[in-house]
Amino acid sequence: MRSVRHLLRLGTFAAVALVVSTLRAEDDDSVSRVKFSDPAKPGVLKLVLPWADIKVRGTDGDEVVVHSSLGEKGRQESRPDGLRRLDDEVTFEVVEKNNVVTVGVSGDSAWTAHSAEFNIEVPRNTGLVIRTQAGGDILVEEIDGDLDISNMNGEVILRDIGSSAVVNTMNGEIKATYRIAPTKPVSFS
């Protein structure tokens, strides 16, 4: 009977440890939410990043939700002594103006963000303008807005797309699946 109690305690401990580690993993990401100024019109999401892995997924929601491995600009790391590093601080910034949401990287050396990850949710009818200057992989899913994507070193994957796409990549593959045949021009190079 004692071994059964021991196993139950171990099982409970393992379950608690799993929940805590999952919560910590979610807390490691910074999240920013913004709505388009005119929700009656399709908006545009614009990303110009030095190097990042980018995932954009269309949703039935009405806001842009940005999850990033970088800290959000303006949020400061809280240390007991009140100090923070300035030399390697790289953050992301989300700005909405005239129905265009712009996501960018800021800091003294934005190129140190080369391992950054961005997971972004947008309304399905949102148009995308995505640029990477050095590389990273780009995944776009369930978007009905027009796509304009330029990637330097990485693949571009489009899944369940419903509109036009102009995609360029220097050193990577392009894979695309359409939900419906596009009625606007499509260009992959």
Side-chain angles (χ1 to χ4, degrees):
M1 190 65 158
R2 183 176 180 174
S3 63
V4 172
R5 283 189 204 142
H6 182 68
L7 286 174
L8 287 174
R9 283 187 199 144
L10 285 176
T12 303
F13 176 75
V16 169
L18 178 64
V19 169
V20 169
S21 67
T22 302
L23 290 173
R24 283 189 186 143
E26 289 175 1
D27 289 344
D28 288 344
D29 283 353
S30 291
V31 179
S32 181
R33 298 173 183 273
V34 66
K35 291 188 177 190
F36 289 111
S37 51
D38 187 356
K41 296 180 183 176
V44 174
L45 173 68
K46 184 176 181 180
L47 292 101
V48 179
L49 304 169
W51 185 299
D53 287 331
I54 302 165
K55 295 177 185 173
V56 180
R57 186 173 59 87
T59 67
D60 293 327
D62 64 346
E63 64 184 359
V64 176
V65 182
V66 180
H67 299 262
S68 178
S69 59
L70 297 176
E72 185 178 4
K73 187 172 184 175
R75 289 189 190 172
Q76 301 298 327
E77 178 183 335
S78 59
R79 287 180 34 175
D81 58 7
L83 299 175
R84 64 183 175 94
R85 289 189 64 122
L86 295 176
D87 61 344
D88 65 352
E89 184 175 318
V90 178
T91 60
F92 76 96
E93 185 173 30
V94 179
V95 177
E96 194 284 342
K97 184 176 181 181
N98 298 327
N99 248 30
V100 176
V101 172
T102 304
V103 177
V105 174
S106 59
D108 290 334
S109 179
W111 287 93
T112 61
H114 69 277
S115 62
E117 294 180 8
F118 287 88
N119 292 313
I120 303 171
E121 298 172 5
V122 298
R124 290 185 201 286
N125 64 346
T126 303
L128 303 180
V129 177
I130 301 174
R131 304 276 184 269
T132 65
Q133 299 162 338
D137 293 331
I138 298 173
L139 170 63
V140 175
E141 298 179 298
E142 302 176 31
I143 297 291
D144 292 332
D146 294 338
L147 308 177
D148 181 359
I149 300 171
S150 182
N151 194 14
M152 183 58 75
N153 294 301
E155 68 181 7
V156 177
I157 299 173
L158 309 176
R159 290 187 190 142
D160 200 22
I161 302 303
S163 190
S164 74
V166 176
V167 180
N168 298 299
T169 184
M170 183 67 77
N171 296 307
E173 294 183 2
I174 299 172
K175 300 174 186 173
T177 58
Y178 278 83
R179 182 176 59 261
I180 57 173
T183 58
K184 296 180 180 179
V186 174
S187 173
F188 299 136
S189 61

